[in-house]
Amino acid sequence: MLYLIGLGLGDAKDVTVRGLEVIKSCSRVYLEAYTSILSVGKEALEEFYGRELILADRETVEQESDEILRDAAVTDIAFLVVGDPFGATTHGDLVLRAAKAGIQHRVIHNASILSAIGCCGLQLYNFGETVSIVFWTDSWKPESFYDKIRRNRLSGMHTLCLLDIKVKEQSIENLMRGKKVFEPPRYMTVNQAAEQLLQIVQNRRELALTENTICVGLARVGATDQHIAAGTLQQLSAVDFGGPLHSLVISGCMHPLELDMLRLFAVEPSSFDQINVEDSSTYLSS
Amino acid sequence: MLYLIGLGLGDAKDVTVRGLEVIKSCSRVYLEAYTSILSVGKEALEEFYGRELILADRETVEQESDEILRDAAVTDIAFLVVGDPFGATTHGDLVLRAAKAGIQHRVIHNASILSAIGCCGLQLYNFGETVSIVFWTDSWKPESFYDKIRRNRLSGMHTLCLLDIKVKEQSIENLMRGKKVFEPPRYMTVNQAAEQLLQIVQNRRELALTENTICVGLARVGATDQHIAAGTLQQLSAVDFGGPLHSLVISGCMHPLELDMLRLFAVEPSSFDQINVEDSSTYLSS
């Protein structure tokens, strides 16, 4: 049996009781290491689980899936994924390879940022399509995420923006020399995402989304030191959210209860209601 | 401190290790009992947690929130919610009352159907707005969910349909007599949801959604006896999914990898690809 086990969002203790039982009983335990991170490292997980973990980066999963699935027809293999196994990244490829080899799979679900984001007080029902904001480079500044946010907002829907993660990147120099030397991992901050959005907003000057649109920045959701702040896009570009992972939500049309919840996290509680009135009037006239 | 703790989707062991620790340490532990159910009852949870649970139905939470929050400024209170605390139902009201009373809150996240639905193989990125399908009565047959599904589908997005749950309902007779006698709980099945949708589809005769549209029915997601079946809306209206809770997904535009995943759950594997070709051609010409 291939077990796909979600680890949740915070640290080692966010695994489920069932997930921990399965981890302890499997022959081999892989830790997916390329789409997300927990606030703790591999060693802390190994200590808490009482098991050695085999790191599986993107190359391993794509090129050595036979090794991951070895003997899984007769023994149990665990594949650990931060968040939910079918959350932000799909692991369909591994499941399909298992199915082709006649190996059954089971999913042990856990929290994913896609639903945990509800902790900011915006209703999950009212979210439209999720978007990914990628790091701009000097020569590559895609704006497709803006168009999706705009579309959601015009339908009154909120937008969850997943922020870019760059791990195991090679510099062009090292890539050309064939050197497997990797750059330090980079995790996009709310500030960086807000600044990229502000550039688009300032170029386009559309009423659907402006520097005064109410947004929510979230860092380390589910961890003990999580940080949530609600304010204008401009305000959020200057808030210090601390370490990764960060997420950004662009509000749509807000129910009074949603607004009451956001006020708990307001950057400037005293001006929050006034900002919202201005943002809503802009938004409604767009 | 008020702890909002997600219990996940299956049974007692789907709580997280951290969640279980907090449950064991709190002064009082409430179990939210009106929006969802686990496959096990209150007694099984009490035995596993080693704690007495106080059932909190909708009335308790709305009318007796002061009692729930009593002493929470000086002691720890746990409020347990099936799935994720901010998943299908918000508990913003309780959080706001706590905040007003100067009581801090913390969320211990867990799996929600809103992200666990990814286990069917459709990418969560490609889901549009979530809809709720309510039980029709003889005199009340709302179709608003159809319009949202149609809109998602025309944008190429999949739709998660949450199916109606009726608990603590009173018959009109008992309601008028002021008798607090409740009807047995009712949980909408995939079959019932498919049949309501088929009635709309057959009346409207639009190409955007037909009886041949590929859908996925899911029952007891996350439990050991979960059941997933992919087929046409017509096919799913006749599949026996067993006990609650059920969910229904209406596909949008599918990536080949998504299609490969759905094929694993096909009601009729031999005809699945042909159905999809026909559905896609209908869909693309709409």
Side-chain angles (χ1 to χ4, degrees):
Chain A
M1 177 80 86
L2 169 68
Y3 284 96
L4 296 153
I5 303 176
L7 300 185
L9 298 168
D11 63 25
K13 287 186 177 175
D14 288 312
V15 69
T16 65
V17 172
R18 180 186 310 284
L20 185 57
E21 278 184 7
V22 173
I23 290 170
K24 286 184 183 293
S25 73
C26 280
S27 312
R28 295 192 308 281
V29 185
Y30 292 89
L31 173 64
E32 190 259 46
Y34 60 89
T35 52
S36 196
I37 52 156
L38 288 182
S39 58
V40 292
K42 172 172 172 272
E43 290 69 27
L45 294 180
E46 286 181 324
E47 193 182 330
F48 184 75
Y49 302 152
R51 291 301 308 267
E52 188 198 336
L53 302 180
I54 308 164
L55 272 186
D57 56 24
R58 190 179 294 269
E59 284 174 3
T60 318
V61 178
E62 286 175 3
Q63 295 167 15
E64 296 168 35
S65 60
D66 287 350
E67 170 56 23
I68 294 176
L69 296 174
R70 178 172 52 82
D71 301 332
V74 291
T75 184
D76 290 336
I77 309 296
F79 188 78
L80 312 187
V81 180
V82 172
D84 186 79
F86 286 91
T89 307
T90 182
H91 293 282
D93 191 57
L94 193 62
V95 167
L96 286 169
R97 283 171 197 263
K100 200 171 281 178
I103 297 160
Q104 289 196 298
H105 79 279
R106 236 201 106 194
V107 180
I108 298 184
H109 292 285
N110 208 321
S112 159
I113 188 64
L114 290 154
S115 48
I117 197 75
C119 68
C120 74
L122 296 177
Q123 289 265 14
L124 290 172
Y125 288 123
N126 299 334
F127 278 74
E129 188 180 350
T130 300
V131 310
S132 295
I133 300 187
V134 295
F135 278 117
W136 279 354
T137 66
D138 290 340
S139 56
W140 190 63
K141 299 189 194 308
E143 300 193 350
S144 54
F145 53 85
Y146 172 87
D147 297 309
K148 289 181 182 175
I149 294 169
R150 184 178 177 281
R151 196 166 63 207
N152 282 340
R153 207 164 139 79
L154 290 176
S155 317
M157 310 298 285
H158 315 310
T159 308
L160 167 60
C161 306
L162 301 174
L163 307 187
D164 206 0
I165 294 173
K166 294 282 187 198
V167 289
K168 292 198 103 176
E169 265 192 311
Q170 287 173 275
S171 68
I172 291 176
E173 198 181 18
N174 283 323
L175 196 68
M176 287 176 67
R177 289 187 186 169
K179 273 193 185 172
K180 288 228 166 182
V181 177
F182 300 106
E183 301 298 303
R186 290 191 299 151
Y187 306 97
M188 186 182 282
T189 63
V190 167
N191 309 141
Q192 290 169 318
E195 273 158 25
Q196 290 189 185
L197 267 172
L198 283 170
Q199 283 194 40
I200 304 175
V201 161
Q202 281 153 7
N203 282 334
R204 299 219 192 175
R205 302 243 59 91
E206 293 176 310
L207 292 174
L209 184 64
T210 75
E211 43 274 79
N212 294 320
T213 294
I214 291 191
C215 301
V216 191
L218 302 97
R220 302 171 304 286
V221 169
T224 46
D225 66 341
Q226 76 172 18
H227 186 57
I228 305 179
T232 65
L233 190 57
Q234 188 76 57
Q235 283 175 332
L236 293 191
S237 70
V239 173
D240 181 4
F241 285 90
L245 294 173
H246 293 191
S247 305
L248 177 66
V249 177
I250 317 293
S251 71
C253 198
M254 282 188 280
H255 184 274
L257 187 65
E258 291 181 298
L259 209 53
D260 288 343
M261 284 291 293
L262 284 199
R263 200 178 292 110
L264 298 179
F265 308 113
V267 177
E268 282 187 19
S270 59
S271 63
F272 187 75
D273 288 316
Q274 187 52 36
I275 289 164
N276 179 56
V277 169
E278 286 167 14
D279 181 41
S280 302
S281 58
T282 316
Y283 171 52
L284 291 172
S285 62
S286 66
Chain B
M1 178 80 86
L2 169 67
Y3 283 96
L4 296 152
I5 303 176
L7 299 185
L9 299 168
D11 63 26
K13 288 188 177 174
D14 289 311
V15 70
T16 66
V17 172
R18 180 185 310 283
L20 185 56
E21 278 184 7
V22 173
I23 291 170
K24 286 183 184 294
S25 73
C26 280
S27 311
R28 297 192 306 284
V29 185
Y30 293 88
L31 173 64
E32 189 260 45
Y34 59 88
T35 52
S36 197
I37 52 157
L38 287 181
S39 58
V40 292
K42 173 171 171 273
E43 290 70 28
L45 294 180
E46 286 181 323
E47 193 182 329
F48 184 74
Y49 300 152
R51 290 301 308 267
E52 189 198 335
L53 302 179
I54 308 164
L55 272 186
D57 56 26
R58 190 179 294 269
E59 285 174 3
T60 316
V61 178
E62 285 174 5
Q63 295 167 16
E64 297 168 36
S65 59
D66 288 349
E67 171 55 24
I68 294 176
L69 297 174
R70 177 171 55 82
D71 302 331
V74 291
T75 184
D76 291 336
I77 310 295
F79 188 79
L80 313 187
V81 180
V82 173
D84 186 79
F86 286 91
T89 307
T90 182
H91 293 281
D93 191 56
L94 193 61
V95 168
L96 286 169
R97 284 172 196 264
K100 201 172 283 180
I103 297 160
Q104 290 196 297
H105 78 279
R106 234 199 108 194
V107 181
I108 298 185
H109 292 285
N110 208 319
S112 159
I113 189 65
L114 290 155
S115 49
I117 198 76
C119 69
C120 75
L122 296 177
Q123 289 264 15
L124 290 172
Y125 288 123
N126 300 333
F127 277 73
E129 187 180 352
T130 300
V131 309
S132 294
I133 300 187
V134 295
F135 278 117
W136 279 355
T137 66
D138 289 340
S139 56
W140 191 61
K141 299 188 195 307
E143 299 193 351
S144 54
F145 54 85
Y146 172 87
D147 297 309
K148 289 181 181 173
I149 295 169
R150 183 177 177 281
R151 196 166 63 208
N152 281 341
R153 207 164 140 79
L154 291 176
S155 315
M157 311 297 284
H158 315 309
T159 309
L160 167 60
C161 306
L162 301 173
L163 307 187
D164 206 0
I165 295 174
K166 293 282 187 199
V167 289
K168 291 197 103 180
E169 265 192 312
Q170 287 174 277
S171 66
I172 291 175
E173 198 181 18
N174 283 325
L175 196 68
M176 287 176 66
R177 289 188 186 167
K179 274 193 185 170
K180 286 226 165 183
V181 177
F182 301 106
E183 302 298 302
R186 292 191 297 151
Y187 306 96
M188 187 183 281
T189 63
V190 168
N191 309 141
Q192 290 167 321
E195 273 158 26
Q196 289 189 187
L197 267 172
L198 283 170
Q199 282 193 41
I200 303 175
V201 160
Q202 281 154 8
N203 283 334
R204 299 220 191 173
R205 302 243 60 90
E206 293 175 310
L207 292 174
L209 184 62
T210 74
E211 45 272 81
N212 294 320
T213 294
I214 291 190
C215 300
V216 190
L218 302 96
R220 301 173 302 287
V221 169
T224 45
D225 65 342
Q226 76 172 18
H227 186 57
I228 305 178
T232 65
L233 189 59
Q234 188 76 59
Q235 283 176 332
L236 293 191
S237 70
V239 173
D240 181 3
F241 284 89
L245 294 173
H246 292 191
S247 305
L248 177 66
V249 177
I250 316 292
S251 71
C253 198
M254 282 187 280
H255 183 274
L257 187 64
E258 292 180 297
L259 209 54
D260 287 343
M261 283 291 293
L262 284 199
R263 200 178 293 112
L264 298 178
F265 307 113
V267 177
E268 281 187 19
S270 60
S271 63
F272 186 75
D273 288 316
Q274 187 51 37
I275 288 165
N276 178 56
V277 169
E278 287 167 13
D279 181 40
S280 302
S281 58
T282 314
Y283 171 52
L284 292 172
S285 62
S286 69

